[in-house]
Amino acid sequence: MFTKAFRVKSNTVIKGSDRRKLKVDVSTAFPLLSESELSEVVPNKEEINVVKVYAHKGDAITLYVLHKNPLFFELEKRLYPTVYMLWQYPNVLPSFATWAPVIQKIAGGADLMLPGVVVPSCGLPEVRQGECCVVKVVGNEAPMAVGIAAMSTAEMSSAGMKGRGVSVLHTFMDNLWAYGDKSCPALISDAETTGGEVLNRDENNEEGEGGEEQETNVGELSDCPNGQGVDQETEKACAEVEGLRLTKCESENKNEEEEEVNLDEQISPQDEMDALLLQCFLHALKSKVKKSELPLLTSSFLRNHMFPCCPNGKQLDIKKSSYKKLSKFLQTMQQQHRVVRVKELTKGVESLVEVDWKNPVLRSFRAPAEPHVEEVQMTEDGEKTYHPPEITILYSVSARVEPLFREANKRKGTVLQPGEVRAIITEYVKANELVDENNKNYVHINPILCDCLLEKSEYHEVSILKWDDLFSRTLSKMQECSQFVIAGQQPIMKKGHIEPIDITVASRGSNKKVTLIKNLEMYGLDPIDVSAALQHRVQASAVLHPVPGTKDKVLVQIQGNQIQIPYLYVG
């Protein structure tokens, strides 16, 4: 269910009445929890977030998050635990054991089949069909997956241990696990589950008598009908699952010496994003922000100043940095480097109120070289040679369609070419298996496509769309913009529809004809130069007037009907 990314609809703090209801529901769903354990899982005063999400197939799910880790998820009014909750209380649900290679298949989206279940000498746990249960690895009591029993224990035995055993809903290393702090399970032996302690990796690696005793305990964890070869197979399974944990948790466990050595040899992507974030921050302060703009909302500072300073070919993503949030990064810049001063206006809204322009960190920073600008060519007479601008029609990701581009890591405001939009939409449809099986020309509408592309009146009427209709609707919901590349200038990005050069003939006074020309500036034409050139060519007076309702636009007025002359000039 969580093998693919889900879409977050809302994230709110739980109310008092909902907290009490959740506590009752947890107590009913997991009766083995004691009162003290129940109070730890659903505390009375600590903040619990209720996160409503849509799975990739459209299922509406509610997550209950404590200390940034989802502990429960509710599907169709039924409560299920996550691996984070089960690692604290591994015995609240009946469990089935299997080998580490099977867990890897389950993490990829497969269900647990009965031939892969290891049957202990005491027999399988008693479960009913549809009952919630967990999947563990032989030799480790830490649950690795949560699901629903596909059949009862009696039916499993009568079927000869063939067929589907557990329909898996959530696993270690899926997207629900990734929504939390991405911590890893501890190694818990079967004997220690009833008596005791959690085995840490450091303890397992110790030499001497203590280490030998622990290794012996792990070897004696399971009592299966296979006889003498069980201990070796169990130790092998423990080693495999430990290797799986180390592979996935390497970036999270930086305190261990061996991992620190590996991290020293190469810069991690998180460190690279931290460096890029600092570069864009200092670049924006040094070359973009003016003192007159302060105070400045931090959101505006990020969008209008830091993002434009990101080098070509790179993408600034704060969530991939160690700071995770802009507010935390700015607090670091304020407290450790004293470059800026940030003030909280209201909850969640901060403003950049002061910049220390004399700060050594800021003064020593050297902004990277600007992109190469083509030199302006001159004629023999010393006049500029006009080159028509290169105009590229682009589309900006709007808030309406942002969820559709989230899997491609394209945030609101990202500018894309039509071909890129088409490629992203095609990849999204194929990744979510939305192509109609009977007719490949049609695409099924899932909740995200429905919210992004359909009008409210179409919600219950339109269930499929043609590919061309899908692309055209997507582009129509995006912000149209254009990139102008004019010789001698930096590329200019303009939003909205492009206005052409407007040339009209009007009457003035006693039916005297004049030619009016406007919108020259957008195409790199100087109205003064145009006016002088036309005045010389047609031997008629030319004057300039400001265009009403605009600040920087100028209208060229030429005496007489000279409608053909501008084309000669531009050519």
Side-chain angles (χ1 to χ4, degrees):
M1 175 165 290
F2 298 102
T3 54
K4 295 183 180 179
F6 51 79
R7 177 169 67 95
V8 177
K9 180 183 179 183
S10 64
N11 187 341
T12 57
V13 178
I14 196 169
K15 299 178 182 178
S17 57
D18 292 335
R19 185 191 298 266
R20 291 189 292 272
K21 180 180 181 300
L22 175 62
K23 201 166 189 176
V24 172
D25 292 342
V26 172
S27 176
T28 304
F30 312 105
L32 294 180
L33 286 175
S34 65
E35 285 296 328
S36 60
E37 292 173 340
L38 188 61
S39 297
E40 291 177 359
V41 174
V42 188
N44 293 326
K45 295 184 178 181
E46 296 185 45
E47 184 177 289
I48 298 176
N49 289 77
V50 181
V51 184
K52 295 185 178 181
V53 303
Y54 284 116
H56 69 281
K57 291 188 177 181
D59 299 305
I61 303 170
T62 302
L63 311 181
Y64 295 96
V65 181
L66 175 65
H67 300 153
K68 298 183 179 180
N69 283 335
L71 296 187
F72 305 98
F73 64 97
E74 187 175 0
L75 175 64
E76 296 179 352
K77 298 183 179 181
R78 184 174 179 181
L79 205 61
Y80 299 92
T82 67
V83 290
Y84 290 111
M85 183 269 185
L86 292 169
W87 291 339
Q88 299 178 49
Y89 310 104
N91 293 322
V92 296
L93 291 175
S95 63
F96 293 89
T98 187
W99 304 109
V102 178
I103 289 294
Q104 297 180 19
K105 297 290 184 182
I106 292 176
D111 291 330
L112 177 63
M113 308 305 287
L114 290 177
V117 175
V118 177
V119 183
S121 58
C122 57
L124 293 173
E126 288 296 327
V127 296
R128 298 186 301 274
Q129 184 178 4
E131 185 177 350
C132 186
C133 54
V134 300
V135 181
K136 302 177 181 179
V137 181
V138 172
N140 189 2
E141 281 291 289
M144 307 295 282
V146 182
I148 300 172
M151 59 181 76
S152 65
T153 305
E155 291 172 335
M156 293 179 187
S157 301
S158 61
M161 295 301 291
K162 294 182 179 180
R164 181 179 284 103
V166 178
S167 299
V168 177
L169 300 176
H170 158 54
T171 68
F172 167 51
M173 294 183 300
D174 66 5
N175 283 278
L176 180 56
W177 166 82
Y179 192 74
D181 61 11
K182 300 181 182 179
S183 58
C184 299
L187 187 60
I188 309 173
S189 71
D190 291 352
E192 289 165 345
T193 302
T194 57
E197 298 179 352
V198 175
L199 294 177
N200 295 321
R201 280 201 301 255
D202 293 340
E203 294 174 350
N204 291 335
N205 292 333
E206 290 180 359
E207 298 180 358
E209 295 180 359
E212 293 175 358
E213 288 179 3
Q214 290 169 356
E215 188 173 352
T216 303
N217 289 337
V218 172
E220 297 172 355
L221 292 178
S222 180
D223 226 358
C224 299
N226 295 333
Q228 299 178 350
V230 174
D231 290 351
Q232 295 179 354
E233 291 295 328
T234 302
E235 292 177 4
K236 182 180 178 181
C238 290
E240 288 177 347
V241 74
E242 183 68 10
L244 181 64
R245 293 169 64 241
L246 288 173
T247 301
K248 293 298 178 181
C249 300
E250 184 177 4
S251 61
E252 302 295 332
N253 299 324
K254 295 182 179 180
N255 295 327
E256 297 186 12
E257 295 181 357
E258 294 181 359
E259 293 176 0
E260 286 180 353
V261 172
N262 294 333
L263 290 172
D264 289 339
E265 295 177 355
Q266 58 181 0
I267 301 176
S268 67
Q270 190 177 76
D271 293 336
E272 290 183 357
M273 188 57 65
D274 287 350
L276 179 62
L277 184 61
L278 180 60
Q279 175 186 320
C280 295
F281 170 74
L282 296 175
H283 189 181
L285 290 180
K286 196 156 188 174
S287 60
K288 301 291 184 182
V289 177
K290 298 178 182 179
K291 192 173 183 179
S292 58
E293 293 182 90
L294 301 177
L296 179 66
L297 289 176
T298 55
S299 57
S300 300
F301 171 65
L302 175 66
R303 181 175 61 254
N304 300 330
H305 297 83
M306 288 183 64
F307 282 151
C309 292
C310 186
N312 291 333
K314 294 186 178 181
Q315 187 174 9
L316 184 62
D317 190 346
I318 296 178
K319 291 184 178 180
K320 293 182 179 179
S321 70
S322 61
Y323 302 98
K324 305 301 181 185
K325 292 182 179 181
L326 178 63
S327 58
K328 187 176 179 181
F329 170 75
L330 293 177
Q331 286 297 326
T332 303
M333 295 298 104
Q334 173 177 296
Q335 297 172 4
Q336 297 183 9
H337 303 288
R338 302 185 184 279
V339 180
V340 295
R341 187 165 67 88
V342 180
K343 181 180 180 181
E344 186 175 22
L345 302 179
T346 58
K347 186 177 181 180
V349 180
E350 294 182 339
S351 177
L352 201 66
V353 296
E354 186 179 336
V355 177
D356 183 5
W357 308 105
K358 297 181 180 180
N359 187 282
V361 176
L362 187 58
R363 294 187 65 179
S364 62
F365 175 75
R366 294 291 179 267
E370 296 288 340
H372 175 71
V373 177
E374 183 181 351
E375 295 183 358
V376 179
Q377 299 179 3
M378 308 294 288
T379 64
E380 294 180 358
D381 299 333
E383 296 180 354
K384 295 180 182 179
T385 302
Y386 175 72
H387 295 280
E390 297 180 7
I391 305 174
T392 306
I393 304 297
L394 303 172
Y395 292 88
S396 172
V397 177
S398 62
R400 175 76 179 269
V401 299
E402 185 179 13
L404 190 55
F405 290 83
R406 192 168 292 151
E407 292 185 10
N409 294 324
K410 304 298 182 184
R411 65 172 61 84
K412 179 184 176 182
T414 303
V415 178
L416 303 169
Q417 296 184 359
E420 293 177 311
V421 175
R422 190 181 187 95
I424 291 173
I425 297 301
T426 302
E427 180 63 26
Y428 175 84
V429 170
K430 292 182 178 179
N432 289 275
E433 301 176 354
L434 300 177
V435 181
D436 186 65
E437 296 180 356
N438 299 323
N439 191 339
K440 304 296 183 182
N441 294 325
Y442 288 89
V443 175
H444 289 283
I445 303 299
N446 68 355
I448 294 180
L449 290 175
C450 179
D451 292 343
C452 295
L453 305 182
L454 300 185
E455 302 298 334
K456 289 185 177 180
S457 59
E458 298 177 317
Y459 282 179
H460 301 290
E461 297 177 1
V462 179
S463 59
I464 57 173
L465 288 174
K466 286 187 175 181
W467 279 101
D468 290 342
D469 194 10
L470 183 69
F471 295 135
S472 61
R473 283 175 180 257
T474 303
L475 294 177
S476 67
K477 302 298 181 184
M478 300 177 72
Q479 172 70 53
E480 182 179 344
C481 52
S482 306
Q483 177 178 281
F484 289 75
V485 180
I486 302 173
Q489 299 182 23
Q490 292 287 349
I492 302 172
M493 189 72 67
K494 293 185 178 292
K495 293 183 178 180
H497 181 67
I498 307 174
E499 295 182 1
I501 295 178
D502 185 36
I503 307 172
T504 57
V505 176
S507 298
R508 294 288 187 269
S510 57
N511 202 24
K512 290 182 179 180
K513 301 293 184 181
V514 293
T515 302
L516 306 176
I517 309 171
K518 60 181 180 180
N519 296 333
L520 294 169
E521 301 88 348
M522 184 176 292
Y523 296 88
L525 293 168
D526 189 339
I528 298 177
D529 294 340
V530 173
S531 174
L534 292 178
Q535 187 175 7
H536 175 73
R537 288 199 180 190
V538 301
Q539 295 297 306
S541 63
V543 293
L544 302 177
H545 299 287
V547 177
T550 63
K551 294 181 179 180
D552 303 321
K553 291 187 178 181
V554 176
L555 177 107
V556 178
Q557 177 180 306
I558 309 168
Q559 185 180 5
N561 183 355
Q562 312 294 347
I563 194 126
Q564 74 279 7
I565 298 300
Y567 295 102
L568 297 176
Y569 174 80
V570 172

